[in-house]
Amino acid sequence: MLADAVGIVPVYVSRIESGLGNPSLEIIVNIANALYVSVDELLYDEPDRKEPQLPGGYLDLLKDCDEYETRILSYVLKMSKKTLRDSSDFRKMIEEMEAKKIKGKQRKIQKKPLP
């Protein structure tokens, strides 16, 4: 199935897997795309990550976005990050909102009637 997705013959996939094949960069990228992983994840067991990974749900939110939506969301994220870093008041406001949200969840749990 991988060979079909990449456009190569199964024997060549086997040679790549066993270390006998020498795939071109294009083939490596096509394999990574077919497996839905980044090239570094394909080439290394554990890539050296200096940046934190996005929580899984964020990528799912972006999957069905078109180019325009992705561009706008990227802009909004960049501006939000800048605002968060430039304004301690904004950071405090967000922290207070999160604290209230957590307390609200705890109250809802406590208010549930016992069976």
Side-chain angles (χ1 to χ4, degrees):
M1 288 171 48
L2 179 61
D4 287 339
V6 176
I8 57 178
V9 295
V11 173
Y12 190 45
V13 172
S14 178
R15 290 180 57 79
I16 293 169
E17 290 174 335
S18 64
L20 300 173
N22 190 15
S24 67
L25 181 57
E26 180 182 4
I27 296 293
I28 292 171
V29 170
N30 289 343
I31 291 171
N33 288 337
L35 296 174
Y36 299 102
V37 297
S38 65
V39 172
D40 64 337
E41 290 172 311
L42 180 66
L43 297 177
Y44 303 102
D45 287 334
E46 292 184 33
D48 183 20
R49 299 204 185 270
K50 295 180 181 163
E51 297 179 19
Q53 292 296 301
L54 286 174
Y58 291 120
L59 293 177
D60 289 337
L61 289 172
L62 299 173
K63 279 183 182 176
D64 64 344
C65 291
D66 62 25
E67 183 182 338
Y68 175 75
E69 292 169 332
T70 303
R71 195 171 66 239
I72 295 300
L73 290 171
S74 176
Y75 175 76
V76 168
L77 182 59
K78 287 175 186 175
M79 299 295 18
S80 298
K81 179 181 169 183
K82 181 177 178 0
T83 302
L84 181 60
R85 289 186 172 176
D86 292 348
S87 172
S88 60
D89 291 338
F90 183 75
R91 180 182 291 259
K92 287 177 189 174
M93 181 182 74
I94 295 298
E95 289 170 354
E96 288 172 6
M97 288 171 54
E98 288 176 344
K100 287 179 184 176
K101 185 177 179 181
I102 291 170
K103 287 180 184 176
K105 285 183 180 180
Q106 289 172 345
R107 274 189 248 141
K108 285 181 185 177
I109 292 169
Q110 292 171 355
K111 287 183 179 181
K112 288 184 178 179
L114 296 174

